[in-house]
Amino acid sequence: MRGKALHTDNASAGDFKSSDDLVNGIHSITRSAIENNMMSVLTDCPSREKLGWLEQDQLVFPALAANYDMEAYLRKIVRDMADAQTTEGLIPSTVPEYTSLPGAYRNDSNWGGAFVLVPWQLYTTYGDTDTLRTYYPDMKRYAAFLKTQVSDGILDYGLGDWFTPDRSFPRAVAGTYGYWRVVDALSRIAGVLGDDADAASYRSEADASAKALTRKYYDEATGTFGGGGQGAEVLALDMGAVPDDQRQRLLDHLVGSIRDAGYHLNLGEISLPAAFRVLSGAGHDDIVYKIATQTTSPSYGYQVVHGNTALGESWDGGPGQSQDHFMLGAIDSWFTSRLAGIQQAPGAAGYQKLLVAPAVVGDLASASGSYTTPYGKASTSWHRDGSAYRLRVTVPAGATAEVHVPVTSGAVQADRGARMLRTEGGTAVYEVGSGDWSFASVYTPAGD
């Protein structure tokens, strides 16, 4: 299996009841939950119905791929999805379909949508075009099936933001988001496969759905979306279902609601990965870190300090629900991509071009991690001692990397051969090839 290591030093780790650092504890229970559910198909839990619920495969894909070699495994699951597709084009929510579930439990765009999203993720992660090409006609049949449920751009059917504690969440927001992700991905897939007409058609459908949700759910008077709950606002921001000139206003409301909740999340598994994307994309990694390091209910840390050894189904991981679920494991990919800082450049596929940009947040003094790409292992290690910041990067053979080094004063010390590209917003940006690289700077994070 393709493994990823993560290690952090937290200045207040002694406050926790576990001897492990909190972030590493969350990483550990997430990995345990994944491993305990990959004995055959990817199941939701090993103790209850043991079914292959599909939404986890696409929602938690980045964490799966960062920890294990998932290429062959998920290609097999995609084939299982194709085998289970009905004559109408439906992809059932559990595959293989050992039992036919009723209504929305069998038909939800965020579950069946894995048939489109997982192949797209296989392409972006491993450069796999074969799976795209093989199942493209069947993916189109699934999109056509979903379209029969769409009215005026909105798909008001499904399970909503599953397991959210927010009872005000509008079901149509999650259903339409799932449909939007399917046609958005199909537009990109069509582009990769050279089908320009389909790419334009699916792009038009995606844009129409986003605009339909904006018209129905964005309240310009209050600057809120879908009643103002975190999950609805996260999905709106992720899919662009908000007027461009109102985006910052909606983002500010979302951040304010998270702060007001004591940096706890009040949302479900569908909106959870989007929450981390939206916050990080807007420069709020500090908010994500505060969410990740809460130890009061509901939070990941609550599970760690109360002795859970695997991630639970509910936010508290308490009795009455599965004690071994990975559906809430999206935070682990934030550890890799932001704390360790290992990503691939926007628009790239197969990790041939890396983007190394660790987030130096909170009380973390250091973090290190690795990601085994198709080209080999990429790794990072950074350490901060007061204002002295050091970053070490390993780039595998055949790959290149754009490295972002935070700096508040003076010049960055970089190994010979690192090519300076630009400076932007207190960051020096370098381009490097394969090999080991070191950088040093003077950096004082805001608030220190």
Side-chain angles (χ1 to χ4, degrees):
M1 287 190 168
R2 178 170 289 149
K4 181 260 294 186
L6 174 75
H7 180 74
T8 58
D9 286 336
N10 187 302
S12 57
D15 295 338
F16 303 126
K17 295 181 180 178
S18 170
S19 61
D20 293 332
D21 156 76
L22 183 61
V23 171
N24 291 329
I26 298 169
H27 175 56
S28 176
I29 65 173
T30 302
R31 279 178 57 98
S32 292
I34 293 171
E35 291 172 8
N36 295 341
N37 282 286
M38 55 166 43
M39 295 301 103
S40 175
V41 297
L42 283 168
T43 54
D44 64 333
C45 60
S47 58
R48 203 165 58 199
E49 68 261 329
K50 304 180 184 178
L51 297 176
W53 292 93
L54 295 179
E55 92 291 0
Q56 301 176 116
D57 301 359
Q58 56 96 355
L59 292 171
V60 195
F61 185 104
L64 293 170
N67 284 281
Y68 312 99
D69 184 352
M70 298 299 294
E71 185 176 13
Y73 193 179
L74 282 170
R75 286 181 69 158
K76 166 59 167 63
I77 292 176
V78 172
R79 188 170 75 232
D80 292 343
M81 295 184 214
D83 291 343
Q85 188 171 28
T86 69
T87 55
E88 296 83 9
L90 165 72
I91 299 295
S93 295
T94 61
V95 168
E97 194 176 25
Y98 297 118
T99 182
S100 183
L101 299 168
Y105 287 96
R106 188 178 190 235
N107 173 24
D108 186 296
S109 57
N110 290 289
W111 275 251
F115 186 49
V116 175
L117 296 168
V118 170
W120 175 247
Q121 291 162 321
L122 285 169
Y123 165 71
T124 57
T125 304
Y126 303 108
D128 175 10
T129 57
D130 290 342
T131 301
L132 297 182
R133 190 172 293 107
T134 298
Y135 298 106
Y136 183 57
D138 300 316
M139 295 181 210
K140 293 176 63 175
R141 285 204 302 124
Y142 178 63
F145 167 79
L146 287 181
K147 194 172 182 179
T148 65
Q149 300 177 283
V150 173
S151 177
D152 297 326
I154 291 177
L155 200 169
D156 189 4
Y157 191 75
L159 298 174
D161 193 10
W162 181 250
F163 236 55
T164 180
D166 177 11
R167 300 308 171 199
S168 69
F169 182 91
R171 180 183 67 181
V173 173
T176 307
Y177 177 74
Y179 173 68
W180 174 84
R181 290 195 75 203
V182 165
V183 291
D184 173 74
L186 274 171
S187 175
R188 300 171 192 274
I189 291 168
V192 170
L193 298 180
D195 190 337
D196 295 339
D198 270 2
S201 177
Y202 285 123
R203 173 52 47 208
S204 177
E205 289 184 39
D207 292 345
S209 276
K211 290 176 182 176
L213 279 184
T214 303
R215 289 192 298 270
K216 185 167 183 177
Y217 290 108
Y218 183 68
D219 186 342
E220 193 162 343
T222 61
T224 62
F225 181 93
Q230 294 176 8
E233 297 197 336
V234 157
L235 294 183
L237 289 163
D238 196 44
M239 69 186 292
V242 57
D244 290 343
D245 62 350
Q246 297 289 305
R247 182 176 178 86
Q248 187 61 49
R249 186 183 181 197
L250 182 60
L251 177 67
D252 290 343
H253 183 268
L254 170 67
V255 170
S257 71
I258 293 172
R259 285 178 175 146
D260 291 345
Y263 299 99
H264 294 86
L265 292 178
N266 186 39
L267 42 71
E269 67 161 328
I270 304 303
S271 60
L272 179 62
F276 301 137
R277 283 195 298 271
V278 165
L279 291 169
S280 282
H284 287 302
D285 285 301
D286 58 327
I287 301 291
V288 180
Y289 179 72
K290 289 177 180 178
I291 291 167
T293 53
Q294 294 306 307
T295 57
T296 53
S297 173
S299 68
Y300 292 105
Y302 183 86
Q303 298 192 39
V304 172
V305 299
H306 284 81
N308 285 35
T309 56
L311 190 64
E313 178 181 16
S314 68
W315 275 111
D316 288 344
Q321 303 296 334
S322 163
Q323 304 295 296
D324 207 349
H325 244 71
F326 72 89
M327 74 179 190
L328 297 179
I331 187 67
D332 200 67
S333 57
W334 182 82
F335 294 157
T336 308
S337 62
R338 298 303 296 128
L339 289 191
I342 305 171
Q343 307 174 57
Q344 64 174 327
Y351 281 83
Q352 186 173 27
K353 183 170 183 180
L354 298 170
L355 171 61
V356 175
V360 182
V361 289
D363 54 5
L364 281 182
S366 69
S368 61
S370 64
Y371 191 119
T372 304
T373 77
Y375 291 87
K377 183 183 288 187
S379 64
T380 63
S381 175
W382 63 264
H383 183 268
R384 182 167 67 95
D385 183 5
S387 61
Y389 174 82
R390 292 188 177 277
L391 171 65
R392 292 181 173 83
V393 179
T394 298
V395 180
T400 62
E402 183 176 289
V403 181
H404 292 220
V405 184
V407 56
T408 49
S409 66
V412 173
Q413 298 176 25
D415 286 342
R416 180 177 297 179
R419 186 167 72 90
M420 178 77 167
L421 296 178
R422 62 189 182 276
T423 58
E424 53 183 31
T427 301
V429 181
Y430 291 83
E431 183 180 61
V432 299
S434 60
D436 297 322
W437 302 89
S438 296
F439 303 86
S441 67
V442 175
Y443 176 63
T444 305
D448 275 21

mmCIF file of all heavy atoms in Angstrom, residues 122-128 342-356 371-378 393-403 431-435:
data_model
loop_
_atom_site.group_PDB
_atom_site.id
_atom_site.type_symbol
_atom_site.label_atom_id
_atom_site.label_comp_id
_atom_site.label_asym_id
_atom_site.label_seq_id
_atom_site.Cartn_x
_atom_site.Cartn_y
_atom_site.Cartn_z
ATOM 1 N N LEU A 122 -9.476 9.656 -10.173
ATOM 2 C CA LEU A 122 -8.425 8.741 -10.615
ATOM 3 C C LEU A 122 -7.558 9.397 -11.689
ATOM 4 O O LEU A 122 -6.335 9.209 -11.730
ATOM 5 C CB LEU A 122 -9.035 7.448 -11.156
ATOM 6 C CG LEU A 122 -9.588 6.467 -10.115
ATOM 7 C CD1 LEU A 122 -10.402 5.369 -10.798
ATOM 8 C CD2 LEU A 122 -8.460 5.846 -9.300
ATOM 9 N N TYR A 123 -8.182 10.180 -12.547
ATOM 10 C CA TYR A 123 -7.417 10.879 -13.574
ATOM 11 C C TYR A 123 -6.523 11.958 -12.955
ATOM 12 O O TYR A 123 -5.319 12.011 -13.234
ATOM 13 C CB TYR A 123 -8.355 11.524 -14.602
ATOM 14 C CG TYR A 123 -7.655 12.536 -15.474
ATOM 15 C CD1 TYR A 123 -6.742 12.125 -16.448
ATOM 16 C CD2 TYR A 123 -7.869 13.905 -15.294
ATOM 17 C CE1 TYR A 123 -6.060 13.055 -17.222
ATOM 18 C CE2 TYR A 123 -7.207 14.831 -16.065
ATOM 19 C CZ TYR A 123 -6.298 14.411 -17.031
ATOM 20 O OH TYR A 123 -5.619 15.333 -17.783
ATOM 21 N N THR A 124 -7.095 12.805 -12.099
ATOM 22 C CA THR A 124 -6.290 13.892 -11.561
ATOM 23 C C THR A 124 -5.184 13.381 -10.648
ATOM 24 O O THR A 124 -4.094 13.965 -10.592
ATOM 25 C CB THR A 124 -7.167 14.899 -10.780
ATOM 26 O OG1 THR A 124 -7.875 14.219 -9.732
ATOM 27 C CG2 THR A 124 -8.164 15.576 -11.708
ATOM 28 N N THR A 125 -5.422 12.278 -9.960
ATOM 29 C CA THR A 125 -4.432 11.755 -9.016
ATOM 30 C C THR A 125 -3.386 10.873 -9.681
ATOM 31 O O THR A 125 -2.195 10.965 -9.370
ATOM 32 C CB THR A 125 -5.139 10.957 -7.901
ATOM 33 O OG1 THR A 125 -6.106 11.792 -7.270
ATOM 34 C CG2 THR A 125 -4.140 10.462 -6.857
ATOM 35 N N TYR A 126 -3.821 10.015 -10.596
ATOM 36 C CA TYR A 126 -2.906 9.031 -11.195
ATOM 37 C C TYR A 126 -2.689 9.223 -12.699
ATOM 38 O O TYR A 126 -1.930 8.466 -13.304
ATOM 39 C CB TYR A 126 -3.444 7.618 -10.958
ATOM 40 C CG TYR A 126 -3.658 7.282 -9.498
ATOM 41 C CD1 TYR A 126 -4.936 7.174 -8.969
ATOM 42 C CD2 TYR A 126 -2.573 7.083 -8.636
ATOM 43 C CE1 TYR A 126 -5.145 6.875 -7.624
ATOM 44 C CE2 TYR A 126 -2.765 6.787 -7.294
ATOM 45 C CZ TYR A 126 -4.063 6.685 -6.794
ATOM 46 O OH TYR A 126 -4.257 6.397 -5.468
ATOM 47 N N GLY A 127 -3.371 10.185 -13.296
ATOM 48 C CA GLY A 127 -3.255 10.364 -14.735
ATOM 49 C C GLY A 127 -3.977 9.295 -15.531
ATOM 50 O O GLY A 127 -3.643 9.041 -16.702
ATOM 51 N N ASP A 128 -4.987 8.654 -14.934
ATOM 52 C CA ASP A 128 -5.692 7.529 -15.543
ATOM 53 C C ASP A 128 -6.769 8.020 -16.518
ATOM 54 O O ASP A 128 -7.861 8.419 -16.104
ATOM 55 C CB ASP A 128 -6.324 6.680 -14.429
ATOM 56 C CG ASP A 128 -7.186 5.537 -14.955
ATOM 57 O OD1 ASP A 128 -7.170 5.271 -16.167
ATOM 58 O OD2 ASP A 128 -7.891 4.922 -14.134
ATOM 59 N N ILE A 342 1.674 19.447 0.839
ATOM 60 C CA ILE A 342 1.934 18.704 -0.397
ATOM 61 C C ILE A 342 0.660 18.645 -1.234
ATOM 62 O O ILE A 342 -0.311 17.977 -0.879
ATOM 63 C CB ILE A 342 2.430 17.280 -0.096
ATOM 64 C CG1 ILE A 342 3.649 17.314 0.811
ATOM 65 C CG2 ILE A 342 2.748 16.533 -1.396
ATOM 66 C CD1 ILE A 342 4.067 15.950 1.338
ATOM 67 N N GLN A 343 0.680 19.348 -2.348
ATOM 68 C CA GLN A 343 -0.431 19.355 -3.295
ATOM 69 C C GLN A 343 0.144 19.195 -4.693
ATOM 70 O O GLN A 343 1.353 19.148 -4.874
ATOM 71 C CB GLN A 343 -1.204 20.679 -3.222
ATOM 72 C CG GLN A 343 -1.680 21.085 -1.842
ATOM 73 C CD GLN A 343 -2.309 22.465 -1.863
ATOM 74 O OE1 GLN A 343 -3.262 22.730 -2.594
ATOM 75 N NE2 GLN A 343 -1.765 23.372 -1.053
ATOM 76 N N GLN A 344 -0.748 19.140 -5.688
ATOM 77 C CA GLN A 344 -0.249 19.299 -7.045
ATOM 78 C C GLN A 344 -0.752 20.622 -7.600
ATOM 79 O O GLN A 344 -1.747 21.178 -7.109
ATOM 80 C CB GLN A 344 -0.643 18.134 -7.943
ATOM 81 C CG GLN A 344 -2.098 17.916 -8.217
ATOM 82 C CD GLN A 344 -2.281 16.801 -9.257
ATOM 83 O OE1 GLN A 344 -1.466 16.621 -10.164
ATOM 84 N NE2 GLN A 344 -3.342 16.043 -9.118
ATOM 85 N N ALA A 345 -0.032 21.145 -8.568
ATOM 86 C CA ALA A 345 -0.347 22.455 -9.107
ATOM 87 C C ALA A 345 -1.734 22.457 -9.742
ATOM 88 O O ALA A 345 -2.181 21.441 -10.292
ATOM 89 C CB ALA A 345 0.706 22.850 -10.139
ATOM 90 N N PRO A 346 -2.446 23.574 -9.676
ATOM 91 C CA PRO A 346 -3.768 23.659 -10.296
ATOM 92 C C PRO A 346 -3.714 23.292 -11.769
ATOM 93 O O PRO A 346 -2.823 23.733 -12.508
ATOM 94 C CB PRO A 346 -4.145 25.132 -10.108
ATOM 95 C CG PRO A 346 -3.360 25.572 -8.918
ATOM 96 C CD PRO A 346 -2.067 24.821 -8.987
ATOM 97 N N GLY A 347 -4.669 22.454 -12.192
ATOM 98 C CA GLY A 347 -4.732 22.044 -13.585
ATOM 99 C C GLY A 347 -3.833 20.894 -13.948
ATOM 100 O O GLY A 347 -3.899 20.372 -15.062
ATOM 101 N N ALA A 348 -2.966 20.452 -13.020
ATOM 102 C CA ALA A 348 -2.060 19.334 -13.302
ATOM 103 C C ALA A 348 -2.777 18.017 -13.046
ATOM 104 O O ALA A 348 -3.847 17.960 -12.447
ATOM 105 C CB ALA A 348 -0.815 19.435 -12.425
ATOM 106 N N ALA A 349 -2.187 16.931 -13.534
ATOM 107 C CA ALA A 349 -2.722 15.587 -13.307
ATOM 108 C C ALA A 349 -1.556 14.640 -13.063
ATOM 109 O O ALA A 349 -0.487 14.783 -13.666
ATOM 110 C CB ALA A 349 -3.546 15.115 -14.504
ATOM 111 N N GLY A 350 -1.760 13.671 -12.173
ATOM 112 C CA GLY A 350 -0.741 12.665 -11.922
ATOM 113 C C GLY A 350 0.440 13.123 -11.094
ATOM 114 O O GLY A 350 1.456 12.431 -11.023
ATOM 115 N N TYR A 351 0.335 14.290 -10.461
ATOM 116 C CA TYR A 351 1.380 14.796 -9.566
ATOM 117 C C TYR A 351 2.735 14.967 -10.259
ATOM 118 O O TYR A 351 3.772 14.869 -9.621
ATOM 119 C CB TYR A 351 1.522 13.904 -8.326
ATOM 120 C CG TYR A 351 0.436 14.182 -7.310
ATOM 121 C CD1 TYR A 351 -0.820 13.600 -7.436
ATOM 122 C CD2 TYR A 351 0.664 15.043 -6.243
ATOM 123 C CE1 TYR A 351 -1.838 13.863 -6.522
ATOM 124 C CE2 TYR A 351 -0.334 15.315 -5.313
ATOM 125 C CZ TYR A 351 -1.581 14.721 -5.464
ATOM 126 O OH TYR A 351 -2.581 14.992 -4.561
ATOM 127 N N GLN A 352 2.711 15.289 -11.545
ATOM 128 C CA GLN A 352 3.981 15.575 -12.204
ATOM 129 C C GLN A 352 4.506 16.950 -11.794
ATOM 130 O O GLN A 352 5.713 17.178 -11.752
ATOM 131 C CB GLN A 352 3.837 15.517 -13.724
ATOM 132 C CG GLN A 352 5.169 15.673 -14.444
ATOM 133 C CD GLN A 352 5.054 15.451 -15.933
ATOM 134 O OE1 GLN A 352 3.994 15.660 -16.524
ATOM 135 N NE2 GLN A 352 6.139 15.013 -16.557
ATOM 136 N N LYS A 353 3.578 17.862 -11.487
ATOM 137 C CA LYS A 353 3.990 19.176 -10.998
ATOM 138 C C LYS A 353 3.375 19.391 -9.628
ATOM 139 O O LYS A 353 2.156 19.435 -9.472
ATOM 140 C CB LYS A 353 3.555 20.292 -11.945
ATOM 141 C CG LYS A 353 4.044 21.660 -11.477
ATOM 142 C CD LYS A 353 3.854 22.751 -12.504
ATOM 143 C CE LYS A 353 4.448 24.071 -11.989
ATOM 144 N NZ LYS A 353 4.280 25.171 -12.967
ATOM 145 N N LEU A 354 4.231 19.506 -8.615
ATOM 146 C CA LEU A 354 3.792 19.660 -7.241
ATOM 147 C C LEU A 354 3.665 21.133 -6.868
ATOM 148 O O LEU A 354 4.335 22.005 -7.432
ATOM 149 C CB LEU A 354 4.791 19.003 -6.287
ATOM 150 C CG LEU A 354 5.006 17.499 -6.439
ATOM 151 C CD1 LEU A 354 6.188 17.061 -5.590
ATOM 152 C CD2 LEU A 354 3.757 16.742 -6.050
ATOM 153 N N LEU A 355 2.810 21.382 -5.898
ATOM 154 C CA LEU A 355 2.718 22.686 -5.257
ATOM 155 C C LEU A 355 2.982 22.458 -3.774
ATOM 156 O O LEU A 355 2.235 21.747 -3.101
ATOM 157 C CB LEU A 355 1.329 23.298 -5.457
ATOM 158 C CG LEU A 355 1.025 24.574 -4.662
ATOM 159 C CD1 LEU A 355 1.990 25.693 -5.056
ATOM 160 C CD2 LEU A 355 -0.417 25.004 -4.871
ATOM 161 N N VAL A 356 4.072 23.013 -3.275
ATOM 162 C CA VAL A 356 4.454 22.859 -1.872
ATOM 163 C C VAL A 356 4.227 24.198 -1.177
ATOM 164 O O VAL A 356 4.916 25.176 -1.455
ATOM 165 C CB VAL A 356 5.911 22.415 -1.722
ATOM 166 C CG1 VAL A 356 6.323 22.372 -0.254
ATOM 167 C CG2 VAL A 356 6.126 21.055 -2.383
ATOM 168 N N TYR A 371 3.977 11.936 0.618
ATOM 169 C CA TYR A 371 2.909 11.486 -0.275
ATOM 170 C C TYR A 371 3.583 10.725 -1.414
ATOM 171 O O TYR A 371 4.424 11.273 -2.119
ATOM 172 C CB TYR A 371 2.151 12.690 -0.821
ATOM 173 C CG TYR A 371 0.863 12.384 -1.564
ATOM 174 C CD1 TYR A 371 -0.355 12.879 -1.113
ATOM 175 C CD2 TYR A 371 0.854 11.617 -2.730
ATOM 176 C CE1 TYR A 371 -1.538 12.625 -1.786
ATOM 177 C CE2 TYR A 371 -0.317 11.347 -3.407
ATOM 178 C CZ TYR A 371 -1.511 11.856 -2.937
ATOM 179 O OH TYR A 371 -2.685 11.597 -3.611
ATOM 180 N N THR A 372 3.226 9.464 -1.571
ATOM 181 C CA THR A 372 3.828 8.669 -2.643
ATOM 182 C C THR A 372 3.039 8.887 -3.921
ATOM 183 O O THR A 372 1.941 8.366 -4.091
ATOM 184 C CB THR A 372 3.882 7.176 -2.282
ATOM 185 O OG1 THR A 372 4.584 7.027 -1.054
ATOM 186 C CG2 THR A 372 4.593 6.380 -3.368
ATOM 187 N N THR A 373 3.585 9.697 -4.805
ATOM 188 C CA THR A 373 2.955 10.039 -6.070
ATOM 189 C C THR A 373 3.279 8.962 -7.110
ATOM 190 O O THR A 373 4.109 8.071 -6.863
ATOM 191 C CB THR A 373 3.484 11.396 -6.575
ATOM 192 O OG1 THR A 373 4.801 11.201 -7.132
ATOM 193 C CG2 THR A 373 3.545 12.417 -5.457
ATOM 194 N N PRO A 374 2.672 9.023 -8.293
ATOM 195 C CA PRO A 374 3.057 8.089 -9.359
ATOM 196 C C PRO A 374 4.530 8.192 -9.751
ATOM 197 O O PRO A 374 5.066 7.274 -10.382
ATOM 198 C CB PRO A 374 2.144 8.501 -10.519
ATOM 199 C CG PRO A 374 0.925 9.066 -9.861
ATOM 200 C CD PRO A 374 1.464 9.797 -8.664
ATOM 201 N N TYR A 375 5.204 9.283 -9.376
ATOM 202 C CA TYR A 375 6.619 9.462 -9.702
ATOM 203 C C TYR A 375 7.539 9.066 -8.554
ATOM 204 O O TYR A 375 8.757 9.062 -8.704
ATOM 205 C CB TYR A 375 6.879 10.929 -10.083
ATOM 206 C CG TYR A 375 6.233 11.303 -11.392
ATOM 207 C CD1 TYR A 375 4.913 11.741 -11.417
ATOM 208 C CD2 TYR A 375 6.918 11.182 -12.593
ATOM 209 C CE1 TYR A 375 4.300 12.058 -12.620
ATOM 210 C CE2 TYR A 375 6.316 11.496 -13.796
ATOM 211 C CZ TYR A 375 4.997 11.934 -13.808
ATOM 212 O OH TYR A 375 4.385 12.238 -14.989
ATOM 213 N N GLY A 376 6.969 8.753 -7.405
ATOM 214 C CA GLY A 376 7.761 8.430 -6.236
ATOM 215 C C GLY A 376 7.357 9.292 -5.058
ATOM 216 O O GLY A 376 6.391 10.048 -5.115
ATOM 217 N N LYS A 377 8.108 9.178 -3.979
ATOM 218 C CA LYS A 377 7.718 9.852 -2.741
ATOM 219 C C LYS A 377 8.107 11.328 -2.762
ATOM 220 O O LYS A 377 9.261 11.692 -2.985
ATOM 221 C CB LYS A 377 8.364 9.174 -1.547
ATOM 222 C CG LYS A 377 7.948 9.794 -0.204
ATOM 223 C CD LYS A 377 8.644 9.152 0.979
ATOM 224 C CE LYS A 377 8.101 7.763 1.237
ATOM 225 N NZ LYS A 377 8.660 7.197 2.507
ATOM 226 N N ALA A 378 7.120 12.171 -2.474
ATOM 227 C CA ALA A 378 7.349 13.589 -2.205
ATOM 228 C C ALA A 378 7.232 13.785 -0.707
ATOM 229 O O ALA A 378 6.363 13.185 -0.060
ATOM 230 C CB ALA A 378 6.330 14.447 -2.933
ATOM 231 N N VAL A 393 12.287 20.023 1.417
ATOM 232 C CA VAL A 393 11.379 19.450 0.423
ATOM 233 C C VAL A 393 12.111 18.386 -0.380
ATOM 234 O O VAL A 393 13.266 18.604 -0.789
ATOM 235 C CB VAL A 393 10.849 20.541 -0.543
ATOM 236 C CG1 VAL A 393 9.919 19.932 -1.586
ATOM 237 C CG2 VAL A 393 10.155 21.656 0.222
ATOM 238 N N THR A 394 11.461 17.257 -0.604
ATOM 239 C CA THR A 394 11.980 16.241 -1.518
ATOM 240 C C THR A 394 11.004 16.077 -2.667
ATOM 241 O O THR A 394 9.813 15.816 -2.458
ATOM 242 C CB THR A 394 12.170 14.887 -0.806
ATOM 243 O OG1 THR A 394 13.141 15.035 0.238
ATOM 244 C CG2 THR A 394 12.635 13.815 -1.785
ATOM 245 N N VAL A 395 11.529 16.231 -3.878
ATOM 246 C CA VAL A 395 10.732 16.113 -5.101
ATOM 247 C C VAL A 395 11.178 14.853 -5.837
ATOM 248 O O VAL A 395 12.370 14.672 -6.092
ATOM 249 C CB VAL A 395 10.929 17.351 -6.007
ATOM 250 C CG1 VAL A 395 10.091 17.232 -7.274
ATOM 251 C CG2 VAL A 395 10.576 18.630 -5.248
ATOM 252 N N PRO A 396 10.249 13.943 -6.187
ATOM 253 C CA PRO A 396 10.652 12.697 -6.840
ATOM 254 C C PRO A 396 11.157 12.916 -8.257
ATOM 255 O O PRO A 396 10.867 13.943 -8.896
ATOM 256 C CB PRO A 396 9.367 11.864 -6.832
ATOM 257 C CG PRO A 396 8.263 12.853 -6.750
ATOM 258 C CD PRO A 396 8.793 13.996 -5.935
ATOM 259 N N ALA A 397 11.913 11.954 -8.761
ATOM 260 C CA ALA A 397 12.461 12.030 -10.119
ATOM 261 C C ALA A 397 11.338 12.140 -11.134
ATOM 262 O O ALA A 397 10.313 11.457 -11.038
ATOM 263 C CB ALA A 397 13.308 10.792 -10.406
ATOM 264 N N GLY A 398 11.521 13.010 -12.115
ATOM 265 C CA GLY A 398 10.528 13.193 -13.168
ATOM 266 C C GLY A 398 9.493 14.239 -12.862
ATOM 267 O O GLY A 398 8.664 14.569 -13.716
ATOM 268 N N ALA A 399 9.494 14.770 -11.638
ATOM 269 C CA ALA A 399 8.521 15.781 -11.236
ATOM 270 C C ALA A 399 9.224 17.104 -10.963
ATOM 271 O O ALA A 399 10.446 17.166 -10.781
ATOM 272 C CB ALA A 399 7.760 15.333 -9.990
ATOM 273 N N THR A 400 8.449 18.175 -10.937
ATOM 274 C CA THR A 400 8.934 19.484 -10.541
ATOM 275 C C THR A 400 8.023 20.003 -9.434
ATOM 276 O O THR A 400 6.959 19.439 -9.172
ATOM 277 C CB THR A 400 8.936 20.480 -11.713
ATOM 278 O OG1 THR A 400 7.585 20.652 -12.180
ATOM 279 C CG2 THR A 400 9.805 19.973 -12.860
ATOM 280 N N ALA A 401 8.440 21.082 -8.796
ATOM 281 C CA ALA A 401 7.616 21.650 -7.729
ATOM 282 C C ALA A 401 7.720 23.161 -7.711
ATOM 283 O O ALA A 401 8.781 23.736 -7.990
ATOM 284 C CB ALA A 401 8.035 21.084 -6.374
ATOM 285 N N GLU A 402 6.598 23.781 -7.392
ATOM 286 C CA GLU A 402 6.575 25.201 -7.062
ATOM 287 C C GLU A 402 6.507 25.277 -5.541
ATOM 288 O O GLU A 402 5.589 24.733 -4.926
ATOM 289 C CB GLU A 402 5.368 25.883 -7.700
ATOM 290 C CG GLU A 402 5.317 27.380 -7.454
ATOM 291 C CD GLU A 402 4.164 28.062 -8.174
ATOM 292 O OE1 GLU A 402 4.234 28.173 -9.422
ATOM 293 O OE2 GLU A 402 3.200 28.458 -7.496
ATOM 294 N N VAL A 403 7.492 25.922 -4.933
ATOM 295 C CA VAL A 403 7.620 25.948 -3.474
ATOM 296 C C VAL A 403 7.354 27.357 -2.967
ATOM 297 O O VAL A 403 7.973 28.323 -3.427
ATOM 298 C CB VAL A 403 9.026 25.483 -3.040
ATOM 299 C CG1 VAL A 403 9.137 25.496 -1.510
ATOM 300 C CG2 VAL A 403 9.336 24.104 -3.585
ATOM 301 N N GLU A 431 10.835 27.686 -8.081
ATOM 302 C CA GLU A 431 10.629 26.485 -8.882
ATOM 303 C C GLU A 431 11.853 25.591 -8.726
ATOM 304 O O GLU A 431 12.985 26.055 -8.831
ATOM 305 C CB GLU A 431 10.430 26.826 -10.358
ATOM 306 C CG GLU A 431 10.152 25.612 -11.227
ATOM 307 C CD GLU A 431 9.950 25.978 -12.690
ATOM 308 O OE1 GLU A 431 10.896 26.527 -13.301
ATOM 309 O OE2 GLU A 431 8.843 25.735 -13.210
ATOM 310 N N VAL A 432 11.599 24.299 -8.462
ATOM 311 C CA VAL A 432 12.708 23.357 -8.302
ATOM 312 C C VAL A 432 12.403 22.071 -9.057
ATOM 313 O O VAL A 432 11.245 21.754 -9.347
ATOM 314 C CB VAL A 432 12.952 23.026 -6.807
ATOM 315 C CG1 VAL A 432 13.319 24.275 -6.029
ATOM 316 C CG2 VAL A 432 11.746 22.331 -6.189
ATOM 317 N N GLY A 433 13.463 21.333 -9.370
ATOM 318 C CA GLY A 433 13.315 20.027 -9.993
ATOM 319 C C GLY A 433 13.413 18.928 -8.951
ATOM 320 O O GLY A 433 13.285 19.156 -7.745
ATOM 321 N N SER A 434 13.661 17.716 -9.412
ATOM 322 C CA SER A 434 13.736 16.588 -8.488
ATOM 323 C C SER A 434 14.952 16.716 -7.581
ATOM 324 O O SER A 434 15.954 17.359 -7.920
ATOM 325 C CB SER A 434 13.797 15.281 -9.270
ATOM 326 O OG SER A 434 14.934 15.258 -10.106
ATOM 327 N N GLY A 435 14.845 16.101 -6.403
ATOM 328 C CA GLY A 435 15.944 16.132 -5.443
ATOM 329 C C GLY A 435 15.513 16.698 -4.106
ATOM 330 O O GLY A 435 14.325 16.897 -3.843
#
